[in-house]
Amino acid sequence: MADGESSSSSSNNAAAAAASPAAGGSSSLRPSSSSSSSLNSSASSSSSLSAVLRSRATLHDFPLVATSFAVVLCAAIAASSNVYLWINLCMAVGAYVTALLLIPATQGLFEKAELAGYDLNKVERCKIPEGLGVIAASVYLVIMFMYIPLHLESWLAGEEKARSYEKLLEFVSALLAICCMVFLGFADDVLDLKWRHKLLLPTIASLPLLMVYFITYGGTNVIVPLPLRGLLGVSVNLGFIYYIYMSMLAVFCTNAVNILAGINGVEAGQSLVIGLSILTHNFIQMQSDDSKYKADHELCAQILMPFVAVTAALLYHNWFPSKVFVGDTFCYFAGMTFAVVGILGHFSKTVLLFFMPQIFNFVYSLPQLFRFIPCPRHRLPKLNPQTKLLGNSYATFSMAEIGTIGRIIVKILKTFRLADVQDENPSEVKLSNMTIINFVLLFTGPTHEKRLANHIMLIQVACSCLALLIRYPLAKVFFEVVE
């Protein structure tokens, strides 16, 4: 992935380093006072939840709609099952309120530590604190740790004690993997780790979870679709390859959220939609008569409901105009959470269906990621200061420097209009950067940042609906039984 997209929203660590003024109250979006007094002012103003909501919410905002849907969905899940999901839901509400108030209250700490950057998609270049995803992740982990003793009696007093102990082990291993990624993500925000490290870290963090999977479940069989059974049989045992696949799932999920970035609210917004989509899948599966299968999805719902809550709170402050940037910490946190529920719930392939926009973004970006076409540090859209609209950003190069494969790719992109190619002068070719955000701008033209963010969210929602359609009605074409 491009290093220029490794930070939150549209300002990365690199952007902050390039600008390099000292962080202070006068250069941030906060009131013109010192960092400590700003923190005290934020803390006092945040004491009223209604004041925070009034300052950010409008009836036309995506965060308000998504949060409302999240409340309804989580309540439906809790109502359909046992009392512990109700407890989890109540704690998720507490996590939402806590994160909503704590994020603005801690902005001054990040500014004081110079963890701040410039929003490159705004005419007024004010410093904005970044890495606030660590606050949402910390609230999530505290809530989940508090949830363990509340549910411990149920796990230890289950009729099938061995299975109950397995569930406790799975739950703790999930939190361990998520906690590892939060720590590594914050290290990335502070140290600006290299691209190769971003691939290695999720692999290491997933190891405890894979060991627990091996001990408690260990299944590596894959059901073969009906048209291929004459060739491969009913199922195929992938053995060790399946564990490599699950490890790569963690790598993909964390980095896929990370590279679909560049405008306010996109990282948190896509994560909220994916989280709600997986919860919808869990709700459907919890209607199963198979108690073991139902328990797996209840466990996933218990992991996801507090995640959706803190993500909704973070999105409130990260939505346009962003007051905070989420940082790599949140991207790693979100990606690992999705990978965890996919592995523990045994529906990793379904999780990938909900990542269709991220898969498209990754595949579309491959020519630049593998340097067949030059990849600039920042691939976010370009702001027109006069109109305050976002348009395509471009990579500039000569045809002679990109090699044969690069020239073939440029020709394909131009022929099928998959990118804006300006090649009248072979020594100075301009190609619109290959991200899904720039791809959308090919069709919409110059667009306001908030409207563009809504377009991306609409694509994510539409793909989630398509994923559920594929997972249920269409899956019957390829399998006899669709659970």
Side-chain angles (χ1 to χ4, degrees):
M1 96 187 126
D3 288 340
E5 295 168 1
S6 62
S7 187
S8 57
S9 255
S10 54
S11 164
N12 297 328
N13 292 332
S20 69
S26 61
S27 62
S28 69
L29 291 179
R30 300 171 57 76
S32 56
S33 57
S34 66
S35 296
S36 58
S37 61
S38 295
L39 176 58
N40 293 334
S41 174
S42 293
S44 60
S45 64
S46 298
S47 61
S48 171
L49 177 60
S50 59
V52 175
L53 297 179
R54 283 197 302 270
S55 67
R56 298 293 295 168
T58 69
L59 291 177
H60 303 288
D61 275 349
F62 168 78
L64 185 63
V65 176
T67 303
S68 301
F69 178 73
V71 171
V72 174
L73 177 61
C74 291
I77 290 174
S80 68
S81 189
N82 57 50
V83 66
Y84 293 100
L85 278 178
W86 272 110
I87 295 174
N88 187 270
L89 175 60
C90 292
M91 297 185 75
V93 173
Y96 173 80
V97 175
T98 303
L100 194 67
L101 299 178
L102 200 56
I103 288 171
T106 55
Q107 289 183 31
L109 297 176
F110 287 80
E111 293 170 0
K112 187 176 180 179
E114 298 189 5
L115 288 174
Y118 291 90
D119 192 335
L120 302 181
N121 288 333
K122 303 293 187 300
V123 176
E124 302 81 11
R125 296 290 174 86
C126 297
K127 262 196 166 182
I128 299 177
E130 60 182 341
L132 270 294
V134 72
I135 300 299
S138 298
V139 172
Y140 172 84
L141 289 171
V142 169
I143 290 293
M144 296 301 281
F145 291 149
M146 292 172 61
Y147 180 67
I148 293 175
L150 295 177
H151 205 325
L152 187 61
E153 181 183 357
S154 171
W155 279 323
L156 298 183
E159 294 181 2
E160 300 179 8
K161 285 190 178 294
R163 182 59 183 162
S164 298
Y165 283 125
E166 287 179 3
K167 283 300 171 190
L168 176 59
L169 182 59
E170 290 174 351
F171 191 84
V172 173
S173 68
L175 295 186
L176 176 60
I178 293 171
C179 190
C180 286
M181 284 313 301
V182 171
F183 170 75
L184 296 172
F186 191 65
D188 190 11
D189 280 331
V190 175
L191 303 176
D192 194 18
L193 301 177
K194 298 295 185 182
W195 181 77
R196 58 182 175 272
H197 300 143
K198 299 175 189 289
L199 297 180
L200 179 63
L201 297 180
T203 306
I204 297 173
S206 66
L207 288 178
L209 185 67
L210 296 181
M211 296 304 97
V212 170
Y213 179 89
F214 175 77
I215 294 170
T216 60
Y217 186 75
T220 57
N221 287 319
V222 176
I223 304 299
V224 177
L226 292 173
L228 299 178
R229 288 188 180 177
L231 180 64
L232 300 175
V234 177
S235 65
V236 174
N237 188 352
L238 298 180
F240 185 70
I241 297 175
Y242 193 76
Y243 287 91
I244 296 176
Y245 156 72
M246 289 190 290
S247 180
M248 291 301 100
L249 177 69
V251 174
F252 172 77
C253 288
T254 52
N255 288 286
V257 174
N258 206 356
I259 67 173
L260 207 172
I263 56 178
N264 291 170
V266 168
E267 296 101 315
Q270 64 180 303
S271 300
L272 182 58
V273 174
I274 294 172
L276 290 172
S277 302
I278 298 175
L279 270 177
T280 302
H281 172 64
N282 292 146
F283 175 72
I284 296 172
Q285 295 300 314
M286 282 162 54
Q287 313 310 312
S288 171
D289 295 329
D290 186 334
S291 60
K292 181 178 178 299
Y293 199 67
K294 183 177 180 180
D296 288 338
H297 286 275
E298 286 180 353
L299 178 67
C300 294
Q302 290 164 5
I303 294 172
L304 276 176
M305 284 197 290
F307 168 81
V308 166
V310 297
T311 301
L314 181 61
L315 181 60
Y316 242 93
H317 299 288
N318 182 237
W319 192 248
F320 180 92
S322 178
K323 301 300 182 186
V324 301
F325 291 150
V326 301
D328 286 344
T329 305
F330 176 78
C331 297
Y332 288 170
F333 163 52
M336 182 56 76
T337 303
F338 298 143
V340 160
V341 296
I343 293 171
L344 293 183
H346 316 300
F347 56 91
S348 57
K349 296 184 290 297
T350 302
V351 167
L352 287 177
L353 286 176
F354 294 124
F355 273 79
M356 280 190 279
Q358 288 73 22
I359 293 173
F360 173 84
N361 185 58
F362 173 72
V363 174
Y364 185 57
S365 298
L366 282 177
Q368 286 190 309
L369 299 183
F370 285 97
R371 308 294 176 174
F372 294 122
I373 294 174
C375 182
R377 175 72 174 174
H378 297 288
R379 299 194 297 166
L380 62 156
K382 185 177 181 180
L383 174 69
N384 185 324
Q386 283 72 41
T387 62
K388 296 185 178 180
L389 300 179
L390 298 183
N392 285 117
S393 61
Y394 291 85
T396 304
F397 53 90
S398 68
M399 293 297 285
E401 70 179 88
I402 61 174
T404 303
I405 296 177
R407 289 192 289 270
I408 293 174
I409 292 173
V410 170
K411 185 174 181 180
I412 293 173
L413 293 173
K414 183 177 181 180
T415 301
F416 294 97
R417 298 182 180 180
L418 298 176
D420 182 18
V421 181
Q422 301 173 14
D423 59 350
E424 292 80 7
N425 182 2
S427 62
E428 190 177 350
V429 178
K430 289 187 175 182
L431 174 72
S432 58
N433 283 309
M434 303 178 69
T435 67
I436 191 173
I437 295 176
N438 280 288
F439 186 77
V440 170
L441 286 169
L442 287 176
F443 299 93
T444 64
T447 305
H448 189 272
E449 184 176 2
K450 183 176 179 180
R451 181 180 292 273
L452 180 58
N454 280 320
H455 289 333
I456 300 299
M457 294 303 101
L458 182 61
I459 291 172
Q460 189 74 58
V461 172
C463 288
S464 290
C465 294
L466 177 61
L468 290 171
L469 181 67
I470 294 172
R471 174 59 180 81
Y472 291 100
L474 295 184
K476 295 178 181 178
V477 177
F478 300 96
F479 302 97
E480 307 103 323
V481 179
V482 178
E483 295 181 336

